[in-house]
Amino acid sequence: MNPRKTSRRLYSSMLMVMAGFVLYVLYANFIHDPQAGEFLSHKESPKRTVPVSAWLHVMHVHVIFACIAMVGGAMNFSNTVLQKYRRFHRANGYVYVASVMVVVLTSGYMAPYATGGKLTSVPFNLLNIIWPAITVIAILKIKKKQIHQHRQWMARSYAFCFTNLFIHLFAAVFHSGFGLAYKTSYVIGVYSAILSLFLLAEIVVRTVFREPPPQLGDVTAR
């Protein structure tokens, strides 16, 4: 099978998943349940009461910038954008980095109130350190004009844009499929999602981005 055709198919599939998830998230959080009543109903922590009004504002900011990061990051993996619209690629890259930082900061605020308590707040906080670190490494690589390595580290960074999707997929499987309590399912979902995304990112880096496309040789950071 032609590696380039395979890569294009994988990219197209990723775009469809990303677009569908972004539309669902925006609908769920701003139209269907803007007060997040269903999600908040699972937060049972007598030691830490959720300040609903402030939490909702932070959550909405978190959702908006997470969607921006997902869309912007996906666009920058396009070879067409990289080749023909380099200034846009660079500007969009900085928008992606800024969006990731906002997502991490808002996640840091919400982590103490996470469903499952410390069992989930700890991995969330660890991710809030690892994700921006990986993203900064990607930026340092392009500053050194190491384009291929930049794309590999960006792939590692972009994988975590799908954290929420994977958490809820795993939680749904364990809750609806295996009949576990929602809280237990959510905790398992958090750990499963983070580990799965680490592994998935490495698989993509070592297969799809194993070798630099020939056309990247003439592209330099500007």
Side-chain angles (χ1 to χ4, degrees):
M1 186 177 291
N2 189 311
R4 292 189 183 182
K5 287 185 178 180
T6 302
S7 179
R8 284 197 292 267
R9 287 175 182 174
L10 288 173
Y11 181 66
S12 297
S13 298
M14 185 271 288
L15 286 179
M16 287 189 289
V17 172
M18 178 275 296
F21 184 61
V22 166
L23 290 174
Y24 168 76
V25 166
L26 292 175
Y27 169 77
N29 287 279
F30 295 99
I31 299 175
H32 176 67
D33 189 14
Q35 299 303 310
E38 183 177 351
F39 187 66
L40 286 171
S41 68
H42 297 290
K43 296 185 179 297
E44 300 175 358
S45 178
K47 295 181 179 179
R48 189 182 293 273
T49 303
V50 179
V52 177
S53 180
W55 185 91
L56 280 173
H57 285 302
V58 173
M59 188 269 290
H60 287 152
V61 172
H62 179 83
V63 167
I64 290 170
F65 279 92
C67 290
I68 293 173
M70 290 190 80
V71 174
M75 293 174 65
N76 265 15
F77 281 109
S78 166
N79 285 332
T80 300
V81 171
L82 178 60
Q83 283 294 314
K84 297 183 178 180
Y85 307 100
R86 297 180 192 175
R87 289 185 179 179
F88 172 80
H89 176 91
R90 184 183 184 187
N92 187 45
Y94 284 118
V95 170
Y96 170 82
V97 173
S99 298
V100 167
M101 298 307 170
V102 173
V103 171
V104 166
L105 288 173
T106 51
S107 176
Y109 170 83
M110 295 187 294
Y113 309 103
T115 302
K118 287 186 178 181
L119 285 174
T120 49
S121 64
V122 170
F124 274 137
N125 283 323
L126 286 174
L127 183 60
N128 289 339
I129 296 172
I130 294 171
W131 190 12
I134 290 173
T135 307
V136 169
I137 291 173
I139 296 301
L140 293 177
K141 293 297 181 182
I142 197 60
K143 290 294 184 182
K144 295 178 181 179
K145 299 185 179 181
Q146 298 174 347
I147 301 167
H148 181 48
Q149 292 85 346
H150 166 71
R151 281 165 67 88
Q152 290 179 323
W153 282 98
M154 280 302 299
R156 294 184 176 102
S157 172
Y158 186 67
F160 292 108
C161 286
F162 294 87
T163 301
N164 189 261
L165 170 61
F166 273 54
I167 288 173
H168 288 286
L169 284 176
F170 279 113
V173 169
F174 286 103
H175 179 56
S176 300
F178 294 96
L180 297 181
Y182 181 84
K183 179 179 176 180
T184 302
S185 300
Y186 188 83
V187 171
I188 296 174
V190 170
Y191 286 91
S192 299
I194 293 173
L195 290 174
S196 296
L197 289 169
F198 265 115
L199 292 173
L200 182 60
E202 285 306 310
I203 291 172
V204 170
V205 166
R206 296 173 190 276
T207 54
V208 179
F209 294 120
R210 181 176 59 182
E211 300 292 338
Q215 66 267 31
L216 284 182
D218 297 329
V219 179
T220 57
R222 295 183 179 181

